[in-house]
Structure formats: C-alpha cells, structure tokens
Amino acid sequence: MPQLDDKFIEILFFPKKKNKVVNLSTKEEVMTFFQQNLPEVASLIFEEEAEAFLKKPIGTQLRTRCDRYHYGDIAKRI
C-alpha cells in the first residue's frame, strides 16, 4: 500500500491455521518466501527489510478505515 511519504506498507493475510510466515526465522527464509509467493514484490525487498520483517509482530486482526470508494459511476459513502 503506497504511503504519503513515498514508502510502501505491505499487509499479508493468511487463514489463522495456515499462516505461512509464522515459522520464518532467518532473512534468507523471508527472501525465499517472497520470491516463491510474491515474486513481483521480492525484487523490491532488501536484506535489511527482511530482517525488519522478522521483528514485526504477527497480528490477529486488522482495522481498516475508508473514507469513500467508487464502483462504476456511483460514489458511495462508508
């Protein structure tokens, strides 16, 4: 997800019992995971980011706030 400060945030969703990232423990495993599962993103990840990925907590829920979205020609307010 692009951010206003020219950075990107990545959010991965997995079923609770099939979480593919919970057992990753080395930066090499992180790099391999992205190469196999998200190859278009893998080329953008550096080793420092793979190390930082390992330090991020794994959340169990996400809260999203949306201002508005468009479907076809109709703008709807959430």
Side-chain angles (χ1 to χ4, degrees), residues 24-26 30 47-58:
L24 299 178
S25 59
T26 67
V30 171
E47 288 188 15
E48 297 82 19
E49 293 163 326
E51 289 176 13
F53 183 86
L54 292 171
K55 296 175 183 174
K56 299 284 182 187
I58 295 175

Side-chain angles (χ1 to χ4, degrees), residues 60-78:
T60 56
Q61 78 184 95
L62 174 71
R63 182 178 184 181
T64 303
R65 294 181 184 178
C66 298
D67 183 22
R68 36 185 321 183
Y69 68 95
H70 298 272
Y71 179 75
D73 293 334
I74 302 170
K76 295 184 179 183
R77 188 92 171 140
I78 296 178

Side-chain angles (χ1 to χ4, degrees), residues 12-59:
L12 302 173
F13 296 97
F14 295 102
K16 188 175 183 178
K17 294 182 180 180
K18 295 182 182 180
N19 190 331
K20 296 181 179 184
V21 298
V22 74
N23 293 322
L24 299 178
S25 59
T26 67
K27 64 182 176 187
E28 291 79 17
E29 289 176 349
V30 171
M31 299 297 283
T32 300
F33 168 81
F34 280 100
Q35 289 167 354
Q36 292 175 348
N37 296 284
L38 300 161
E40 61 279 358
V41 176
S43 63
L44 304 173
I45 297 176
F46 300 104
E47 288 188 15
E48 297 82 19
E49 293 163 326
E51 289 176 13
F53 183 86
L54 292 171
K55 296 175 183 174
K56 299 284 182 187
I58 295 175

